[in-house]
Amino acid sequence: MVIMKNTNGNFQRILVTGGAGFIGSHFIRLLLNERPSSEVINLDLLTYAGNLENLKDAESNPKYKFIKGDIGNRELTTQILSEVDAVVNFAAESHVDRSILGPEAFIQTNIVGTQRLLDVSKQNKVKRFLQVSTDEVYGSLGAEGAFTEDTPLAPNSPYSASKAAADLLCRAYHHTFALDVVITRCSNNYGPNQFPEKLIPLMISNARSDKPLPVYGDGLNVRDWIHVEDHCRGILAVLENGQSGEVYNIGSNNEWPNIQIVKKILNELKKPESLIKFVADRPGHDRRYAINSSKMKNQLNWEPKIDFSEGLHKTIDWYLKNDAWLRRVTSGEYLKYYETQYSNR
Ligand code: NAD
Ligand code: TDX
């Protein structure tokens, strides 16, 4: 792989795609706060997961601009990228269970959309393209060990396969066209504004309304949880100081079996464990993820800062205080998805 000089610097105008979603909205807030001289354009299609309410506080900031649109729309991205230095691509279909119910949208956005965005970035000589990827591209671990950047890709779900395909396209655009590309692969995020289809907000949402908490399989699948703000600081470090063509794993060394997370949530909310309902397992369910992020620490001096118990406590508190947000996003389309995913399970 061609290794080019790192950019070592701030960017004047940054395109963030998928910025109305969970992690993208936290990243935009971080940029506006920490890099106040940079302009930030948020391109988001506003799918079921995109919510402009997540960035209400940014709306009046003159350095922030929102554009509704698809990363796969070449005409639109050609216009936008003519005046952008860097692209941070969060836009994706992001939920594994939905990729099992219907993989098409994942192929379209995560693969075709990313390829078109890479292509237009190349044509416009964008200085840096950061692809926000996931630890799921490495597949599943046994009881021991952790994913490093050299672990072979072995995705198991349509979601992770589509993310791995996007990573390989990023690699190819770097290798073949010398586009400055960096890739981050992070473990499971938690924090405010996460759509309640994902484990932690779903369990908070159900527990507080005394609905059953659907735990897949034996509940002993292990995930490595990181606070979304720690992830976003890691992305910024890679954007500004990562080596072109390199991959960076981001994680918090914080592994938990799902059942323990669910019990922690019930305990915080003072709800009974009798709400737990073991349901049929997710097909192809990866058993364990764990991330070795020593490259981030050694090369970019990045470390996670947020303690899990405190982060989870504050996250639960956020959901309790933002009942209106939760109610709005769990109406309409979400109800249809919930019915398909969880009835007769
Ligand atoms: P999310 O589902 O909350 O947000 C995705 C956003 O992308 C939404 O705002 C949606 O409207 C937008 N979007 C979807 N298709 C689009 C398109 N074609 N064009 C423009 N915008 C589009 O997802 P998230 O959890 O914030 O994840 C963001 C990124 O981080 C994804 O690429 C995901 O693979 C990756 N990631 C997520 C996690 C996690 O734990 N959530 C962990 C590691 C990596
Ligand atoms: O109802 C549920 N019951 C349950 O037991 C749900 C929604 C999940 N689970 C389990 C499945 C997983 O083992 O909890 C674990 C976490 O599930 P998700 O929140 O769906 O996350 P995961 O499948 O691990 O993927 C997440 O992390 C990596 C994100 O959704 C991805 O976008 C990211 O790439």
Side-chain angles (χ1 to χ4, degrees):
M1 194 179 268
V2 188
I3 300 285
M4 300 192 324
K5 202 160 69 66
N6 66 357
T7 56
N8 246 337
N10 300 354
F11 295 97
Q12 276 317 298
R13 202 171 277 151
I14 303 169
L15 172 66
V16 177
T17 70
F22 166 48
I23 310 174
S25 61
H26 283 271
F27 183 71
I28 289 180
R29 192 169 299 107
L30 178 75
L31 273 182
L32 294 172
N33 287 337
E34 302 277 320
R35 300 291 179 266
S37 63
S38 299
E39 289 173 42
V40 181
I41 301 171
N42 174 11
L43 172 67
D44 196 299
L45 189 57
L46 298 183
T47 67
Y48 77 92
N51 186 350
L52 287 178
E53 252 185 272
N54 293 346
L55 279 168
K56 206 129 197 70
D57 48 327
E59 270 168 14
S60 57
N61 189 322
K63 297 285 188 185
Y64 170 73
K65 183 173 164 188
F66 171 71
I67 299 172
K68 181 174 187 298
D70 192 328
I71 56 166
N73 179 342
R74 276 177 191 274
E75 213 178 310
L76 176 63
T77 56
T78 300
Q79 261 173 34
I80 299 171
L81 287 175
S82 64
E83 43 183 49
V84 153
D85 310 287
V87 175
V88 184
N89 186 30
F90 288 91
E93 288 294 332
S94 69
H95 191 38
V96 174
D97 291 324
R98 286 185 192 255
S99 83
I100 296 167
L101 293 172
E104 284 274 340
F106 289 73
I107 308 308
Q108 204 51 43
T109 286
N110 301 2
I111 307 179
V112 178
T114 300
Q115 184 272 328
R116 290 194 185 145
L117 195 60
L118 282 163
D119 216 44
V120 177
S121 299
K122 177 195 95 177
Q123 277 157 16
N124 283 277
K125 301 191 171 35
V126 161
K127 289 189 192 141
R128 172 149 280 192
F129 187 107
L130 187 149
Q131 173 69 2
V132 181
S133 185
T134 168
D135 60 356
E136 298 199 16
V137 297
Y138 297 121
S140 186
L141 288 166
E144 298 290 316
F147 301 128
T148 72
E149 289 80 359
D150 297 324
T151 302
L153 301 187
N156 289 318
S157 71
Y159 162 71
S160 54
S162 70
K163 292 296 288 184
D167 284 12
L168 293 178
L169 287 164
C170 289
R171 178 189 152 92
Y173 269 74
H174 175 72
H175 189 85
T176 304
F177 304 116
L179 182 67
D180 182 315
V181 174
V182 280
I183 298 174
T184 57
R185 294 188 182 137
C186 189
S187 59
N188 285 59
N189 283 222
Y190 73 97
N193 303 96
Q194 185 168 31
F195 196 80
E197 63 191 356
K198 309 277 166 54
L199 180 78
I200 289 182
L202 180 105
M203 297 301 165
I204 299 171
S205 171
N206 283 15
R208 59 185 308 250
S209 348
D210 298 305
K211 275 171 63 177
L213 272 51
V215 173
Y216 298 161
D218 59 8
L220 296 178
N221 298 63
V222 172
R223 296 294 183 265
D224 187 352
W225 294 95
I226 184 171
H227 194 279
V228 62
E229 289 171 11
D230 278 332
H231 180 195
C232 289
R233 280 192 309 100
I235 292 173
L236 186 58
V238 173
L239 178 68
E240 294 182 344
N241 294 308
Q243 284 285 334
S244 181
E246 291 287 301
V247 173
Y248 295 87
N249 284 353
I250 303 180
S252 215
N253 239 334
N254 180 41
E255 291 179 52
W256 292 88
N258 294 332
I259 189 68
Q260 284 191 36
I261 297 279
V262 172
K263 287 182 177 172
K264 261 174 159 318
I265 292 169
L266 286 169
N267 189 39
E268 285 252 355
L269 289 169
K270 301 193 173 39
K271 296 284 183 175
E273 289 189 4
S274 55
L275 283 176
I276 294 173
K277 184 183 173 206
F278 288 94
V279 299
D281 208 354
R282 172 186 279 174
H285 197 177
D286 284 338
R287 192 63 172 169
R288 176 173 162 258
Y289 304 143
I291 271 270
N292 175 335
S293 49
S294 53
K295 183 171 174 183
M296 284 293 292
K297 182 168 170 24
N298 297 338
Q299 296 189 11
L300 300 179
N301 204 19
W302 171 92
E303 271 186 301
K305 288 185 176 160
I306 301 177
D307 167 77
F308 185 56
S309 292
E310 200 183 321
L312 185 63
H313 173 76
K314 285 189 177 158
T315 300
I316 292 173
D317 203 45
W318 185 89
Y319 280 93
L320 296 180
K321 288 192 174 124
N322 288 274
D323 190 49
W325 181 93
L326 194 59
R327 278 182 209 287
R328 270 195 292 281
V329 300
T330 50
S331 61
E333 192 276 345
Y334 180 79
L335 290 177
K336 276 187 248 151
Y337 162 75
Y338 198 89
E339 179 66 15
T340 316
Q341 176 64 16
Y342 294 101
S343 63
N344 308 318
R345 195 162 185 156

